[in-house]
């Protein structure tokens, strides 16, 4: 639920993202989640682009589950909650919830698992300590 | 696994669908699944567009889970297996698997739940018997 | 040039919008222009979505020319200048220029012609006086 | 006009590509043209992906003009004519026309200018002779 999230990213639905039913086409939600986690990284002080370029940290999506709760329409402002809910050795789990800003209606619940990825070697690597520490501090997550 | 599927739709990865890692960006897989189920409908003798326009049957995605098994690259030909694995009263479940045509490598496993949707009334409705019968005949599904 | 524009809309390049060359794929610029003109409308006090729904004003793109001046990269913030440069009887011309916020580098020059479109009748209609008046006031355009 | 083209690529409009007006959103036409020129290259015996990877030839879009003649709808099959109409020293011009397969209605006329691009050096380079020769042979183009 909404109070589980300390970080929200806001975006407005683009006309190009709605389909003939007049609602956001499902694939665009994965793009929204990608935008939101990039902003979550930025909020925590990490530049995702730079981390990837320096070979320090990149991410590869290994699994995602989405529940579509209500349609979103053109020009609506959405608030995307992002929370790291688990950090394993080489992977971490992120929970997302998307709400309509005006009405507070829940649009989507999502959970994705990312593997920490070395873009040069193209292999999975342990989640860096600096990321683990920042997430523990921000989201109050207990990892071991 | 591959032999679970009797229907495959083939498509080629577009340049616009790969990202800076040179691999298909995750959101496009939901578009691929949408293309594939439209073709599955066509193969079974249904014109999805016409069904929706006549108000006989439309679908709303309520849940999807995707597992990303291997990256796909620009210009690769993918084979998307589609199989209705369960039909409930007002919803049905579709299994998808995406393979590389050349190597047979598994790229993605997905499962989506659609609600049968009356586009005029914007409400869920029982899955029509003509669809149930066609799926039972084709995929050998036992529904009750 | 930049000083020709009184209105700019800012957006940040999404990861999903860059291609294997690491630069924004060309098609996304048309989406950026669409987002920017929606915001220009809003800035002038018009709700594009409501105008279309009420059948008062909609737009259909009839022509566009784009010059790609420099690539834009993931995570860059772009400033999109929008200016109505001509209003005819049933159509109007909009000029766009996209700059990088940080460096001021020109990324794209575009010009598009929209026909004013009655979404119910699916025919072109004279540009409404309220729009003409607002644009004349804002962009100092002399139309006749 | 249609008889100007010796090469056509066929594709079917995806549901994700139509907007709330029920017609193909304008930005997707640039993707269609990109798909079509890739297939034109393949037809002439060139593997665009391999050429780019080997650093022999890549392309950067520098200018495009599109005229939207008629809307295209979900599930329609489109035929995209591709023709190289001019080859300069470091750039070449490609003409496109998109027709509906069923009715022959003209949907879009486009012209794009590509610079031949060295992806390693990120600079423009003379159009390779093997490309010039192949195009001259196929499209009967006289270049000097």
């Amino acid at each position: 639920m909404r109070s589980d999230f300390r970080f929200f990213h806001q975006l407005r639905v683009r006309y190009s993202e709605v389909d003939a039913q007049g609602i956001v086409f499902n694939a665009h939600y994965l793009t929204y989640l990608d935008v939101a986690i990039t902003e979550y990284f930025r909020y925590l002080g990490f530049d995702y682009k730079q981390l990837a370029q320096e070979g320090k940290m990149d991410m590869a999506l290994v699994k995602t589950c989405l529940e579509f709760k209500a349609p979103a329409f053109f020009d609506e402002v959405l608030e995307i909650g992002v929370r790291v809910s688990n950090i394993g050795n080489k992977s971490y789990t992120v929970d997302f919830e998307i709400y309509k800003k005006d009405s507070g209606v829940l649009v989507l619940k999502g959970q994705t698992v990312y593997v920490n990825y070395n873009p040069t070697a193209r292999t999975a690597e342990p989640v860096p300590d600096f990321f683990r520490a920042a997430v523990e501090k921000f989201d109050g997550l207990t990892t071991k």
Side-chain angles (χ1 to χ4, degrees), chain A residues 30 34 59-65 96 111-115 117:
Chain A
L30 283 177
D34 193 72
M59 53 195 188
L61 188 54
V62 290
K63 190 175 177 183
T64 189
C65 287
F96 298 93
Q111 191 174 64
T112 68
V113 180
Y114 299 95
V115 154
Y117 178 79

Side-chain angles (χ1 to χ4, degrees), chain A residues 21-63:
Chain A
Q21 291 177 346
I23 65 180
V24 173
F25 181 73
N26 57 70
H28 297 297
Y29 287 109
L30 283 177
T31 300
Y32 292 176
L33 302 192
D34 193 72
V35 169
I37 194 155
T38 304
E39 295 304 325
Y40 174 88
F41 268 62
R42 194 188 320 278
Y43 191 81
L44 259 56
F46 305 132
D47 182 327
Y48 171 63
K49 186 183 182 178
Q50 196 184 328
L51 288 174
Q53 282 174 345
E54 293 175 355
K56 287 184 183 160
M57 187 178 183
D58 202 348
M59 53 195 188
L61 188 54
V62 290
K63 190 175 177 183

